[in-house]
Amino acid sequence: MRFRDFHKNIKIRIIETFMSRFIGSMIFPFMSIYLAVHFGAKVAGLLLLINVFVGIGINFLGGYFADQFGRKKIMLFAEVLRFLAFLTMMVCNSPWYESASITFAMMTINSICWGLAGPANQAMMIDVSTPPQRKLMYSITYWANNLSIAIGGIIGAFLFSDYLFELFFALSVASAITASLVAFFIDESYAPVKTDMTPTQHITQLISNYGKVLHDKLFVLFTIAGVLILSMEFQLTNYIGIRLSKEMPSQPFLFWDIDGVQAMGILRSENTILVVILMLFVTRIHHSLKDRTVLVWSCFFFSVGYAALAYSNNLFILFLMMAILTIGEVFRVPVEQSYMAAIPPDDARSSYMAFNGLKFNLSMLIASITVTLGAILPSSMMAGIILAVGLIGTFILKIITPELDRRKEGAELRQHNEAVKVG
């Protein structure tokens, strides 16, 4: 299985996503600073919170619309709207005109676009891929995302303050290219049955769709486990980062002495660099282990690694555990996402993907709670809590992986039968 064997929609989305995230990473990680400068830290925090909740709400609408009207239509609408938002942000941060209020409004429009297009994008990737392709597809996507975010973030740190107009110009160009690719090169992957429904009927159908999703116990358990495991990642920039800044004494590293804040930065860089390097090889490693075994053990080492980071102040142990948990991460992500792709029925993929999109927000919520607990409890207890959260997620996955395998085999059989009929 090679990149050239993928459907053209997958190739275009991977290349386009790399380009968009590369430029976006030069801007959006620093927009909290922009808002704090113009509105003050307290108001900036509230504005960012509004942005998050708007994105969550629209995410559910995006999932429903993509199942009702097709993936491409929703994606194209979102990409055109996103282009107009970025163009407006460029104008509002130009040498001739500046408006932080309009810039924030366009940030909210961008969140709406992510909410609309996200479930459709994910569902389309599943639509046009086969089960054997998905681990490689998700590995390449994860690798490209990490590489683009890492490089873009480094460049943005140097350019954001003095070249914001130029960055928004580049982002607008990238957005225009993306909209053109969706309009002229990407094929529609799902043709829903056309029905004439009133707005009231659409609301009823939307509630019914998500009711069915919530009644899928396997999916709900898989999502809960995913939230618990993903929350480990956010600990580094939340509780672990705060703990290191307060507790870790300066220690020699190569030719310098580094403190806890610098150690956190180095750990983040270690994780990103290792992900980028290891993802080049992990898909080429042939092993006899079943996917369920890989998923459970990778989550176990992932959880143990972050628990160690939550307790130790020894640089060697911190670097070693980051390497171990990163190995677990690169094995976990493709397997976890390929399982996710096998769960939804064909006519509700976007709705499932929209619900699955909540993992990020719920994981952030858990990470925020640990920050509050960390102000009260000692690091030894916090490490135990973080370990328990990860191991509970791992245990849930261990219990449900037999059913996940059956669901995955059923999806492969249906796809094989459809291919035979077409042939």
Side-chain angles (χ1 to χ4, degrees), residues 188-229:
E188 177 59 83
S189 63
Y190 175 68
V193 177
K194 292 185 178 180
T195 56
D196 294 323
M197 290 194 292
T198 64
T200 303
Q201 289 173 321
H202 274 298
I203 293 172
T204 303
Q205 184 64 36
L206 184 148
I207 295 171
S208 175
N209 271 26
Y210 286 111
K212 291 177 182 176
V213 173
L214 287 171
H215 277 88
D216 189 337
K217 292 182 180 179
L218 178 66
F219 172 73
V220 171
L221 287 172
F222 186 76
T223 302
I224 291 171
V227 168
L228 297 176
I229 296 298

Side-chain angles (χ1 to χ4, degrees), residues 129-318:
S129 62
T130 62
Q133 289 178 327
R134 286 173 187 155
K135 275 193 285 186
L136 178 60
M137 177 182 76
Y138 288 126
S139 294
I140 294 174
T141 302
Y142 193 67
W143 174 82
N145 286 347
N146 274 272
L147 183 61
S148 61
I149 291 170
I151 300 175
I154 293 170
I155 297 174
F158 292 96
L159 300 182
F160 183 81
S161 297
D162 299 322
Y163 297 95
L164 189 57
F165 170 72
E166 289 81 1
L167 289 175
F168 276 126
F169 174 76
L171 194 59
S172 299
V173 172
S175 183
I177 293 172
T178 298
S180 300
L181 289 172
V182 173
F184 301 112
F185 295 97
I186 282 183
D187 297 330
E188 177 59 83
S189 63
Y190 175 68
V193 177
K194 292 185 178 180
T195 56
D196 294 323
M197 290 194 292
T198 64
T200 303
Q201 289 173 321
H202 274 298
I203 293 172
T204 303
Q205 184 64 36
L206 184 148
I207 295 171
S208 175
N209 271 26
Y210 286 111
K212 291 177 182 176
V213 173
L214 287 171
H215 277 88
D216 189 337
K217 292 182 180 179
L218 178 66
F219 172 73
V220 171
L221 287 172
F222 186 76
T223 302
I224 291 171
V227 168
L228 297 176
I229 296 298
L230 185 60
S231 69
M232 300 288 103
E233 287 191 35
F234 297 121
Q235 297 298 343
L236 183 60
T237 51
N238 286 275
Y239 169 73
I240 293 173
I242 294 170
R243 185 193 70 79
L244 289 174
S245 67
K246 291 181 178 179
E247 295 182 5
M248 180 179 160
S250 293
Q251 298 177 42
F253 174 70
L254 298 179
F255 304 106
W256 304 274
D257 285 342
I258 63 171
D259 58 21
V261 176
Q262 293 165 330
M264 186 192 74
I266 295 172
L267 288 170
R268 290 186 66 188
S269 299
E270 179 188 0
N271 176 256
T272 303
I273 293 168
L274 284 177
V275 166
V276 171
I277 294 173
L278 292 174
M279 274 295 182
L280 295 173
F281 302 101
V282 72
T283 54
R284 301 180 184 181
I285 297 174
H286 299 284
H287 56 75
S288 58
L289 295 176
K290 295 180 179 179
D291 282 351
R292 70 169 79 174
T293 304
V294 172
L295 181 61
V296 170
W297 279 106
S298 62
C299 289
F300 174 79
F301 286 115
F302 193 69
S303 303
V304 170
Y306 272 109
L309 296 188
Y311 178 73
S312 178
N313 289 318
N314 183 287
L315 268 181
F316 174 78
I317 293 176
L318 292 174

